[in-house]
Amino acid sequence: MDNLEIYNKVREVPEEAKKTIQAGRTKGFTDINPMWRIKTLTEQFGPCGFGWYFTVLNRWVERESGEVAAFVDIEMYVKHGYEWSKPIYGVGGSKLATKEKSGTYVSDECYKMATTDAISVCCKHLGIGADVYYSNDKTKYGENRSSGHPEDRKIKPVRDRTSVTGIRTYWHESGCSHEKA
């Protein structure tokens, strides 16, 4: 098997499975329909429970500033040919209780939505929807770090930031110094 065989089969998301996020911190980013992911898993590996499945490892809530978020840890397994994969780990989250103008909104589906989110995280590891996430190296975790030049999209080596020398090198390359810190 070619290492990118599955990745290349599942990386492209059809327009009807994409939706632009209209509000909030991720406004302008693209949301992928969760059922498209399920369909893609089923097309590639077979029905859930036969060609792929997941197990829930842990469920918990975290409270911050009067809001409550629910989280789910899962391991997903896929069958390729006659062999089952090692676990593909994913953690997903969703708001359980959110402060709104009219009061607190409580979701009775937060664990289901957190599980769906965890499945989507596992799907990313397989390359499902990769083109949406890799568009010009822009993610919900930061601004576009790419100038668009192909050289800027190459994966850069990770610098050692645990040793004094590594930290000094990182600071120097970033235009920082211990006097400015």
Side-chain angles (χ1 to χ4, degrees), residues 36-110:
W36 176 80
R37 288 188 184 100
I38 302 297
K39 178 182 176 190
T40 301
L41 285 167
T42 303
E43 286 172 344
Q44 294 303 308
F45 306 108
C48 183
F50 295 92
W52 68 277
Y53 70 96
F54 65 92
T55 58
V56 175
L57 302 175
N58 192 17
R59 294 179 357 159
W60 74 97
V61 297
E62 293 184 14
R63 292 168 175 76
E64 178 64 39
S65 303
E67 296 193 330
V68 182
F71 295 91
V72 176
D73 279 332
I74 71 168
E75 288 179 340
M76 179 185 287
Y77 300 85
V78 298
K79 191 174 187 180
H80 190 67
Y82 296 103
E83 186 175 353
W84 282 98
S85 70
K86 300 285 189 229
I88 303 166
Y89 178 76
V91 61
S94 182
K95 290 285 182 86
L96 170 60
T98 307
K99 287 183 182 179
E100 294 184 354
K101 290 179 186 177
S102 60
T104 302
Y105 170 77
V106 177
S107 171
D108 63 346
E109 296 190 340
C110 65

Side-chain angles (χ1 to χ4, degrees), residues 13-172:
V13 181
E15 288 303 315
E16 62 271 13
K18 294 190 271 187
K19 183 173 96 177
T20 302
I21 299 169
Q22 300 296 323
R25 186 174 56 85
T26 56
K27 181 179 180 177
F29 287 94
T30 303
D31 190 23
I32 300 173
N33 183 311
M35 285 310 298
W36 176 80
R37 288 188 184 100
I38 302 297
K39 178 182 176 190
T40 301
L41 285 167
T42 303
E43 286 172 344
Q44 294 303 308
F45 306 108
C48 183
F50 295 92
W52 68 277
Y53 70 96
F54 65 92
T55 58
V56 175
L57 302 175
N58 192 17
R59 294 179 357 159
W60 74 97
V61 297
E62 293 184 14
R63 292 168 175 76
E64 178 64 39
S65 303
E67 296 193 330
V68 182
F71 295 91
V72 176
D73 279 332
I74 71 168
E75 288 179 340
M76 179 185 287
Y77 300 85
V78 298
K79 191 174 187 180
H80 190 67
Y82 296 103
E83 186 175 353
W84 282 98
S85 70
K86 300 285 189 229
I88 303 166
Y89 178 76
V91 61
S94 182
K95 290 285 182 86
L96 170 60
T98 307
K99 287 183 182 179
E100 294 184 354
K101 290 179 186 177
S102 60
T104 302
Y105 170 77
V106 177
S107 171
D108 63 346
E109 296 190 340
C110 65
Y111 280 112
K112 179 184 80 168
M113 294 184 328
T115 302
T116 300
D117 188 37
I119 291 170
S120 75
V121 170
C122 294
C123 286
K124 288 178 191 178
H125 295 300
L126 294 166
I128 295 175
D131 287 354
V132 168
Y133 302 111
Y134 194 62
S135 177
N136 292 324
D137 204 25
K138 185 177 178 183
T139 72
K140 71 177 183 179
Y141 304 109
E143 292 302 312
N144 185 349
R145 295 172 302 279
S146 172
S147 67
H149 189 275
E151 195 64 28
D152 289 340
R153 286 185 278 194
K154 287 184 177 176
I155 296 173
K156 306 284 193 281
V158 176
R159 298 274 186 219
D160 170 25
R161 295 185 193 156
T162 58
S163 70
V164 173
T165 304
I167 292 170
R168 285 185 180 145
T169 302
Y170 172 73
W171 278 0
H172 176 72

